[in-house]
Amino acid sequence: MAQINNDEVEIAVEESTPEPFAKANGGAPVIEEVKVDIVNENGNGSDIETSEKAVGNIEEMEGSDAVEVDTEREADRDSLVPGTGSINGDIEGGYDDESDEGEEDIDDEDENMSNVVQGTTETILNKLEENLAQAPEVDESDLLQVAEPGPLDSEGKDIEQVLSIISNSIYREGEGQIFSKLCDRSALLSVVSHSLSAYITTLESVPLQRLSSRIASEVSMWMCDLFNFPGGLAHCHDDIREGLVRTVRMVLHDNYPDLATEGFLALTPAPPVLYITSSTYFEVAQYVCTQLGLPSSTIRYVSPNEEDVTGFESFQKALDADKEAGKTPLMCIANVHSTIFQKQTVTKLQELCKSNNLWLHLEGHALSALTLLPSQGDQTLAQRGDSMTLTFGSWVGIPSVPFVTLYRNDTPAAQIAGLGVVNPAVRLGCLPLWCVLRSLGQNQIRARIRGVFQMLEDITERLKSLTCLRLLSQTGDRTFAAVSGLETGDVDPSEVFHTVSPALAFQYVSDCPPDLSERVPPYTDNLNSWLGQILQRDAPHIPVEIVDVETTGYVLRLCPFEDVAMVGLAPEDVESFLQCVEEKCAILNATVTQRTKFMELIELEPSVQHVDIAHWAGLGGVRYIPFDYIDRGSEKILEMTEDDLKMVNQRNMELVATLRNTDSAFSLGEGPPPDHVMCVRFGMVTMETEVEELLTLVINCGKDIDEAVNQLQSMSEVVKNGVKQAQEELRKEADNQIWQEGILRHVPIVGSFYNWLSPVPDEAKAKGRYLNLQEGKLETTDKIYKHHMQIHIEDGQEL
């Protein structure tokens, strides 16, 4: 049976440009200083001296009922940004220049500033929840989805109006689903903390450095503690590839001491080599090489060999070959769920890398399981590698949280590479993560990750029980380690990455699967595409992706660690998804079974043909052939010209239109090129569906259309012959009438006078003809006139 890697079905990370790094000294996170020049009103650039005393003091407004407020200056209580930043949003006079007291107590000032920040945050949280829940209406022309890009308005808009436009545009773009992702209070805090990360930069340089350093140090300490990475440091970044770029730069400087002075010339004697364990990492590795000015030949893919006993013999041979070629093995970038770890653990790989002076960088969603390990000394630490990149926000269901790279704190080149450097000039990037960690705490973080793993275990067991599915993300006979055993210590810590796959990939192959040693047939791809689209429609709370894997075919993939809405999903929602999968698989099984019978019935009928319809998962298409194009003796279809093909296509289009009058489930299908024949398209069925009746209905309806067409053709011949006969009889009567009445009646002027003196009798006039289509006879119009006169007499009308 063919096997694929879990990483083959992982979606590539979104590309973006990394932020510039700054140089700093020391091992702790470094704050980049921001110098602010204060310019006086005259604009002469002279420095203004400031003292600790404020020009005016903010009056304390909370809980005061005796404060008089100017109605004209009263702040809007519904505004997202209160006038003073207080919870109430009241304002009175700003600064008090005529204060009786010379200076306020420092504790009161600190309390006021704390209230400003806290009040602003709570107000934004509450207002954001209200806006997302109610989705207030705005002018449609102002929405970003409707309005065309244009020049900036001459006059600015009100702040409330600007916020309303962008919030409604976000709500419209997300089709209301954004509220479900922000229903968690910690998720709202993460969104709002980005505003605070910009607000904190308004501090003076020295307090900004002091506060930013404290926040960055705590984030680093907490993350290393959560993921059992003692003695390490954390670097927060917005682009998931940025941490890897800076880590490779750090290892380069560590292995090439002259790199800072000589540049690329330092790499020439012994070019570096980057090893990747997953083919899906080629794009990321190429990006790293582009950012660092390294050639593409730096990247080397190492895959397990079937002859490997321990799983790393081929890797060791590649290392030895590169060393003999004068190259320097630099780093191994490993996904912890790649096939290289099917026989061995990360511990063995780490020992191999250490013996060859190779830096080990780990990535993958399975790293989240490190938070569930109890502290057991060196055995626990052996799973960490030398550095690792974490997508922490999606693991705990919190949006807008930066990515984190943990690395060993024993390399002096870290600061040169920009790791650990914090640049609060525009915003403090690690503040959202600090707020989320404070809000959740260790227990809730572990509970969320544990819940996702348990959900994956439940889904995996149910999918395994369906014989019509094959689970591609859990290959081999090896059973996964339960997360409950990791926490209690019953499972060896070396099995931490042998848990259930964090990205489940499964494929429908039916109860009688085709050859699975290669890519499945196109019809099986169509069935999987249908299953994926139906699950996306009927169970949208668990997002399912349809991935085209080159060696396997269409695969359905779901990864709760990549969607914040799936963290904390209710058990009943998971159960409804699994029931939906079972119901749709039953329909697929019935369709596959009935399709075999359907094909056999088509072979027995000479008047129909089976048509393969691209990207169609139903029974298939049936093309009706009129009996005029079937050989009566051999019952084979005759050769058709281009006009005949057009006529047959037109007949099938009429057939579908007729069938839709009885059942709207019938639809028109089109065959493959180059003929693009039209046919009747049959969809999904159940075991209760009588396919014989469906096929008989199509054949009988086609025959009825053939008979109607033949009757119409025969009727047209009768009409043509009747018209000729009527014209001939009328001509003969006219000739006979001339001889009987005399030529004198037909002479101009004289004939009129003669007819006035002696009118022609009615019996002698020429009689009209009509064609009786029921009997196919040509008769005179006397009967029609007599019948018409009789109706008038019965109605009492005068003739």
Side-chain angles (χ1 to χ4, degrees):
M1 180 180 296
Q3 298 178 353
I4 68 169
N5 306 338
N6 175 49
D7 50 41
E8 288 186 356
V9 293
E10 288 189 356
I11 302 301
V13 296
E14 182 181 359
E15 297 186 4
S16 62
T17 305
E19 296 180 355
F21 64 91
K23 296 182 179 180
N25 298 319
V30 176
I31 310 301
E32 192 174 87
E33 294 188 6
V34 181
K35 182 179 180 181
V36 181
D37 294 330
I38 304 177
V39 182
N40 62 8
E41 295 179 355
N42 297 326
N44 55 14
S46 61
D47 296 337
I48 296 179
E49 296 182 0
T50 58
S51 63
E52 296 181 357
K53 296 182 180 180
V55 177
N57 299 316
I58 301 177
E59 296 185 358
E60 186 175 357
M61 304 299 298
E62 284 192 64
S64 177
D65 298 331
V67 177
E68 296 181 1
V69 180
D70 187 355
T71 57
E72 295 181 357
R73 302 179 60 187
E74 184 175 1
D76 184 6
R77 295 177 182 271
D78 294 331
S79 174
L80 278 172
V81 184
T84 62
S86 66
I87 297 177
N88 296 328
D90 299 332
I91 185 171
E92 182 192 54
Y95 292 101
D96 185 7
D97 294 333
E98 300 178 356
S99 174
D100 294 336
E101 299 182 1
E103 58 183 27
E104 292 288 332
D105 185 81
I106 297 178
D107 294 337
D108 294 338
E109 291 184 2
D110 293 341
E111 184 178 356
N112 277 336
M113 282 303 298
S114 176
N115 290 335
V116 168
V117 176
Q118 182 182 0
T120 303
T121 304
E122 292 186 0
T123 303
I124 294 177
L125 283 171
N126 296 330
K127 189 65 178 180
L128 184 59
E129 286 181 319
E130 179 183 349
N131 283 350
L132 289 175
Q134 298 178 357
E137 296 292 335
V138 297
D139 189 359
E140 288 286 334
S141 61
D142 290 336
L143 293 178
L144 300 184
Q145 290 84 356
V146 179
E148 293 292 334
L152 182 64
D153 297 336
S154 300
E155 300 294 334
K157 294 182 179 292
D158 183 70
I159 294 178
E160 186 75 18
Q161 186 178 3
V162 174
L163 293 176
S164 181
I165 291 174
I166 188 61
S167 61
N168 279 274
S169 298
I170 295 173
Y171 189 85
R172 174 74 64 87
E173 194 69 29
E175 297 179 354
Q177 298 180 3
I178 187 173
F179 178 69
S180 63
K181 295 184 179 182
L182 294 180
C183 59
D184 187 357
R185 191 76 176 174
S186 297
L188 286 168
L189 175 61
S190 174
V191 174
V192 174
S193 61
H194 282 271
S195 299
L196 295 177
S197 68
Y199 180 73
I200 197 175
T201 61
T202 60
L203 292 172
E204 294 295 335
S205 178
V206 174
L208 176 60
Q209 293 180 30
R210 184 168 57 249
L211 184 57
S212 300
S213 178
R214 170 61 183 270
I215 292 174
S217 299
E218 287 192 341
V219 167
S220 181
M221 179 179 62
W222 295 340
M223 292 299 294
C224 291
D225 183 50
L226 274 173
F227 288 90
N228 293 286
F229 206 96
L233 289 176
H235 176 74
C236 299
H237 45 93
D238 294 332
D239 187 346
I240 192 173
R241 301 166 299 183
E242 181 187 347
L244 180 58
V245 170
R246 299 195 179 193
T247 303
V248 175
R249 184 185 289 116
M250 175 187 67
V251 181
L252 278 172
H253 281 279
D254 189 47
N255 284 267
Y256 299 90
D258 298 332
L259 182 62
T261 57
E262 298 183 5
F264 69 93
L265 295 177
L267 307 177
T268 305
V273 182
L274 294 177
Y275 301 92
I276 57 176
T277 64
S278 174
S279 59
T280 58
Y281 274 51
F282 266 116
E283 184 178 355
V284 178
Q286 185 65 46
Y287 176 82
V288 173
C289 292
T290 302
Q291 295 297 311
L292 300 178
L294 300 175
S296 300
S297 58
T298 306
I299 308 170
R300 181 161 184 176
Y301 171 55
V302 288
S303 58
N305 196 319
E306 295 181 356
E307 299 178 358
D308 291 350
V309 178
T310 63
F312 298 127
E313 285 88 347
S314 57
F315 192 5
Q316 183 62 57
K317 291 180 180 179
L319 291 171
D320 295 338
D322 288 333
K323 290 179 180 178
E324 292 177 1
K327 298 181 179 180
T328 301
L330 189 70
M331 175 185 288
C332 176
I333 306 171
N335 185 296
V336 292
H337 262 279
S338 57
T339 53
I340 199 171
F341 298 119
Q342 288 185 354
K343 295 182 179 180
Q344 280 297 344
T345 62
V346 175
T347 306
K348 294 295 183 181
L349 179 60
Q350 189 168 359
E351 293 175 356
L352 175 67
C353 293
K354 187 176 181 180
S355 62
N356 290 273
N357 194 25
L358 195 65
W359 186 280
L360 178 59
H361 180 83
L362 301 179
E363 293 192 358
H365 297 304
L367 292 173
S368 59
L370 290 173
T371 60
L372 304 179
L373 283 178
S375 180
Q376 294 182 355
D378 295 337
Q379 194 175 11
T380 301
L381 302 181
Q383 309 300 320
R384 67 177 189 175
D386 298 305
S387 61
M388 52 188 179
T389 298
L390 315 173
T391 56
F392 180 73
S394 62
W395 295 348
V396 295
I398 304 296
S400 304
V401 174
F403 303 105
V404 181
T405 295
L406 304 181
Y407 59 95
R408 290 197 336 244
N409 187 24
D410 56 0
T411 306
Q415 303 304 323
I416 302 176
L419 287 170
V421 175
V422 180
N423 182 12
V426 178
R427 65 183 180 90
L428 183 59
C430 59
L431 181 59
L433 180 58
W434 183 89
C435 294
V436 169
L437 292 173
R438 278 283 192 181
S439 174
L440 295 178
Q442 291 192 23
N443 292 337
Q444 192 171 354
I445 291 173
R446 293 190 173 96
R448 291 191 177 202
I449 295 176
R450 183 193 311 114
V452 175
F453 273 107
Q454 289 177 349
M455 177 178 63
L456 286 169
E457 290 178 358
D458 296 339
I459 295 177
T460 300
E461 291 299 330
R462 288 284 289 274
L463 294 181
K464 278 185 176 180
S465 64
L466 299 176
T467 57
C468 59
L469 299 178
R470 67 164 172 168
L471 203 59
L472 301 170
S473 54
Q474 206 75 32
T475 57
D477 299 331
R478 178 178 56 85
T479 58
F480 56 82
V483 292
S484 58
L486 287 177
E487 292 185 294
T488 57
D490 297 336
V491 177
D492 190 89
S494 62
E495 299 291 325
V496 63
F497 300 131
H498 290 165
T499 58
V500 60
S501 176
L504 297 182
F506 60 97
Q507 185 182 47
Y508 176 82
V509 293
S510 76
D511 292 327
C512 299
D515 183 14
L516 301 179
S517 60
E518 53 187 15
R519 185 184 175 100
V520 296
Y523 181 69
T524 305
D525 283 343
N526 296 340
L527 296 175
N528 282 277
S529 177
W530 179 87
L531 178 59
Q533 294 177 36
I534 292 298
L535 292 177
Q536 291 172 353
R537 185 196 67 184
D538 296 347
H541 51 281
I542 294 186
V544 175
E545 296 177 272
I546 305 174
V547 183
D548 187 2
V549 181
E550 183 179 358
T551 59
T552 308
Y554 283 6
V555 172
L556 304 185
R557 177 182 181 274
L558 62 92
C559 183
F561 283 111
E562 293 178 358
D563 194 313
V564 296
M566 290 191 65
V567 178
L569 205 62
E572 51 268 21
D573 293 332
V574 179
E575 181 63 27
S576 65
F577 169 78
L578 293 173
Q579 289 180 358
C580 184
V581 173
E582 293 175 350
E583 293 173 0
K584 305 313 174 187
C585 285
I587 295 177
L588 288 172
N589 290 334
T591 301
V592 172
T593 303
Q594 295 276 45
R595 187 172 185 266
T596 304
K597 181 180 180 181
F598 191 63
M599 301 277 286
E600 295 174 353
L601 293 173
I602 291 176
E603 292 293 332
L604 300 176
E605 291 290 340
S607 58
V608 289
Q609 280 183 326
H610 183 265
V611 179
D612 287 326
I613 304 175
H615 310 296
W616 184 253
L619 291 176
V622 173
R623 183 191 184 200
Y624 177 76
I625 307 297
F627 57 82
D628 293 338
Y629 298 95
I630 300 176
D631 187 12
R632 299 293 187 273
S634 62
E635 294 186 347
K636 293 183 178 180
I637 300 175
L638 302 175
E639 294 185 3
M640 301 183 191
T641 63
E642 186 175 352
D643 293 337
D644 293 336
L645 291 174
K646 291 181 179 179
M647 197 282 295
V648 174
N649 287 339
Q650 183 64 31
R651 189 69 58 84
N652 279 271
M653 293 170 66
E654 295 174 0
L655 175 60
V656 171
T658 304
L659 290 172
R660 287 184 64 86
N661 294 331
T662 58
D663 191 350
S664 59
F666 289 100
S667 59
L668 182 65
E670 183 177 351
D675 296 332
H676 297 286
V677 297
M678 298 298 175
C679 60
V680 182
R681 191 167 57 181
F682 288 84
M684 312 300 289
V685 296
T686 62
M687 293 303 297
E688 289 76 20
T689 305
E690 297 292 340
V691 293
E692 300 94 335
E693 295 182 1
L694 290 177
L695 189 60
T696 302
L697 177 62
V698 172
I699 296 175
N700 292 337
C701 186
K703 291 181 178 179
D704 293 341
I705 294 177
D706 288 344
E707 293 177 1
V709 170
N710 291 334
Q711 289 180 359
L712 185 61
Q713 290 177 350
S714 61
M715 185 179 299
S716 63
E717 293 294 329
V718 172
V719 171
K720 290 179 181 179
N721 296 331
V723 170
K724 292 180 180 180
Q725 183 181 354
Q727 290 176 345
E728 184 67 24
E729 291 182 0
L730 290 175
R731 186 183 62 78
K732 291 180 179 180
E733 284 190 4
D735 294 343
N736 293 332
Q737 186 177 4
I738 292 175
W739 293 108
Q740 291 177 2
E741 295 176 355
I743 298 177
L744 189 60
R745 288 184 182 272
H746 298 277
V747 176
I749 301 177
V750 178
S752 300
F753 181 72
Y754 186 77
N755 289 330
W756 177 71
L757 293 176
S758 177
V760 180
D762 294 337
E763 293 78 5
K765 294 181 179 180
K767 299 178 181 179
R769 303 290 192 275
Y770 77 94
L771 182 62
N772 189 342
L773 296 178
Q774 293 181 350
E775 299 179 3
K777 295 180 180 180
L778 189 68
E779 300 178 357
T780 61
T781 57
D782 291 346
K783 296 181 179 180
I784 295 178
Y785 294 144
K786 290 180 180 179
H787 181 67
H788 182 69
M789 291 174 62
Q790 184 178 0
I791 292 176
H792 278 266
I793 292 173
E794 290 178 355
D795 291 343
Q797 300 179 3
E798 295 183 0
L799 300 178

